[in-house]
Every structure is written in structure tokens, then in C-alpha cells.
Amino acid sequence: MRFFDPADETLVRHRRLPHWAQDGVVVFLTWRTHDSMPRSVLAAWRAERNRWLMARGIDPTLRGWKIRVQDLQPAELTEFHRHFTMRWHRELDAGYGACHLRRPELAQIVSGSLRHFDGERYELLDYVIMPNHVHLLATFPDKTTMLNQCESWKHFTSTRINRELHTKGRFWQQDAFDHLVRNEAQFQWLQRYIAENPRRAGLRVGEFMHWSSARDAS
């Protein structure tokens, strides 16, 4: 496995969120259903985050602000992730929205899509399908594959799930959150985070789907 190398070439694409990619590097991905974050919760989180950034001279309304966050001192970067990145994930675990993926047959659509090209287009390491979001660790062979594959997963699964629900329109939020894993210690922490996510959210067996390549190989 390869981890993020600041000296190596990095592709940064700006959509609603900036996305970083390096060839073959382990990436932690999260995407969520379109109704998983109420506007009031999102507005409060964003306002607090923006005040924190502005106090450190980072204007979050400007393109490329996330790159400047990565240049913060290690202690401040840790504080940012503790207060805002982890809080974001806790809000997802609160179970807002319809939580359709609590249904095993719908979660299986997502799981089947993730596993379909494993070992061909990408290498899956771990994932958990929660009622309103997905966490995933994987590697992709080159810088452009990750975003294209995420779009493919989301398009295929939203079409199938809408068909099962007899609904139309958007199922997933447009952008995904991605983080290039820095080292072995962070990778192991994220593996534990994925495995323990259902317990932290108070889910029962059958309300989530967890898979690990390490467990599958044993």
C-alpha cells in the first residue's frame, strides 16, 4: 500500500468540494444520501467552521481554501479535524433523512456495486454501508480513476435504488468527501473507525453492512 507523499505529483480537482488524488494511494471516501444533513444542521456547522478558519486568516469563500488548511501547523490541523471533520461524521450518524440503506436489500445494491470491479479498476480495503451514508477505504491506479469511479457507483446505485423505491430524482448528495491517507497509523485508525461506526451509531445487526478485505482473506 502507498500513502500520501507531499513530494509526489498530486491532482486537485475543484467541484463543490476540492478533491485530491495520487496514483495508487489509499483514500478514505464518504458519500451520503441527499437528505442526510438538514439545512439547519449544515448551516450551523458551516458557520462555526468558517469562523474558525477566518480567525486563522483562511477565507472559506475563496477557491483553494482547503489547500491552505493543509498548510496549518500540525496541532491546528488536528484541532480542525477533531472539531469539524469528526463532528460532520457524528451528524451523519445521527440518522437524519429517510435512511433507506437501513433496508438490507437496498444496502446490498450498494455492496454489489462496490465489489463488482474490485481487483480490476480498483482495490477495495474496507467499507461500511450505513443507513444514510457510506465509508470506504480503497486504492485507485491513477489520479483520474477515483472521481470517475465514484460517479459510476453513485449513478448505478441511485438508478437501481430509485427503481426499488418507485421514486425518481437524486438519491445521493452530489459530491463525496475524500481524504488521502497519510501513513499506516492513520490507515489502521480509519479501519477501526469503519468497523466501529455501526456500534457508535447504535445500529442493530441487519441495519448496516460492513466488509473488510483483511477479514475476507482470513
Side-chain angles (χ1 to χ4, degrees), residues 79-123:
E79 180 184 348
F80 176 82
H81 287 303
R82 182 183 302 118
H83 285 290
F84 299 107
T85 304
M86 298 315 298
R87 177 180 165 189
W88 174 269
H89 291 305
R90 287 195 298 271
E91 295 290 3
L92 287 179
D93 290 340
Y96 297 116
C99 292
H100 289 302
L101 298 178
R102 195 185 299 267
R103 292 170 50 178
E105 71 274 20
L106 300 184
Q108 184 57 51
I109 292 173
V110 179
S111 179
S113 177
L114 294 176
R115 299 289 297 277
H116 188 70
F117 288 110
D118 181 23
E120 297 180 39
R121 297 181 181 177
Y122 48 83
E123 182 182 355

Side-chain angles (χ1 to χ4, degrees), residues 4-217:
F4 175 66
D5 181 356
D8 198 1
E9 181 181 358
T10 303
L11 174 67
V12 183
R13 286 187 178 176
H14 291 270
R15 295 184 177 179
R16 292 185 64 188
L17 294 172
H19 301 279
W20 293 38
Q22 278 186 349
D23 295 352
V25 167
V26 179
V27 62
F28 175 63
L29 290 160
T30 298
W31 64 90
R32 61 188 179 91
T33 58
H34 75 96
D35 61 352
S36 59
M37 194 71 68
R39 290 185 180 180
S40 59
V41 173
L42 179 59
W45 176 87
R46 186 172 287 151
E48 184 180 349
R49 183 205 63 183
N50 290 355
R51 286 193 296 269
W52 190 95
L53 292 170
M54 292 294 287
R56 289 154 181 82
I58 301 174
D59 186 345
T61 66
L62 297 179
R63 185 183 180 95
W65 68 266
K66 193 174 182 182
I67 296 175
R68 292 196 59 196
V69 170
Q70 299 303 316
D71 293 332
L72 290 170
Q73 293 297 315
E76 285 191 314
L77 186 58
T78 298
E79 180 184 348
F80 176 82
H81 287 303
R82 182 183 302 118
H83 285 290
F84 299 107
T85 304
M86 298 315 298
R87 177 180 165 189
W88 174 269
H89 291 305
R90 287 195 298 271
E91 295 290 3
L92 287 179
D93 290 340
Y96 297 116
C99 292
H100 289 302
L101 298 178
R102 195 185 299 267
R103 292 170 50 178
E105 71 274 20
L106 300 184
Q108 184 57 51
I109 292 173
V110 179
S111 179
S113 177
L114 294 176
R115 299 289 297 277
H116 188 70
F117 288 110
D118 181 23
E120 297 180 39
R121 297 181 181 177
Y122 48 83
E123 182 182 355
L124 284 178
L125 301 170
D126 296 83
Y127 65 79
V128 63
I129 302 166
M130 301 288 284
N132 64 2
H133 64 282
V134 176
H135 293 308
L136 170 71
L137 282 165
T139 63
F140 299 87
D142 58 63
K143 300 180 187 68
T144 61
T145 302
M146 183 187 76
L147 289 178
N148 293 339
Q149 186 59 54
C150 284
E151 289 302 316
S152 176
W153 281 328
K154 290 163 71 176
H155 176 74
F156 174 80
T157 56
S158 64
T159 300
R160 287 283 307 278
I161 291 170
N162 274 328
R163 187 182 306 154
E164 292 293 323
L165 294 173
H166 304 288
T167 56
K168 294 182 179 180
R170 181 167 40 164
F171 183 77
W172 300 108
Q173 186 67 16
Q174 179 181 348
D175 257 346
F177 168 85
D178 53 76
H179 171 75
L180 296 178
V181 179
R182 266 47 180 177
N183 49 51
E184 179 72 28
Q186 187 179 64
F187 171 69
Q188 293 178 0
W189 187 90
L190 287 167
Q191 278 189 310
R192 292 193 298 272
Y193 181 89
I194 286 174
E196 296 170 4
N197 198 184
R199 177 186 58 79
R200 286 193 307 271
L203 299 181
R204 297 170 294 188
V205 174
E207 295 181 324
F208 65 91
M209 191 169 293
H210 172 238
W211 178 86
S212 171
S213 59
R215 185 179 63 184
D216 194 55

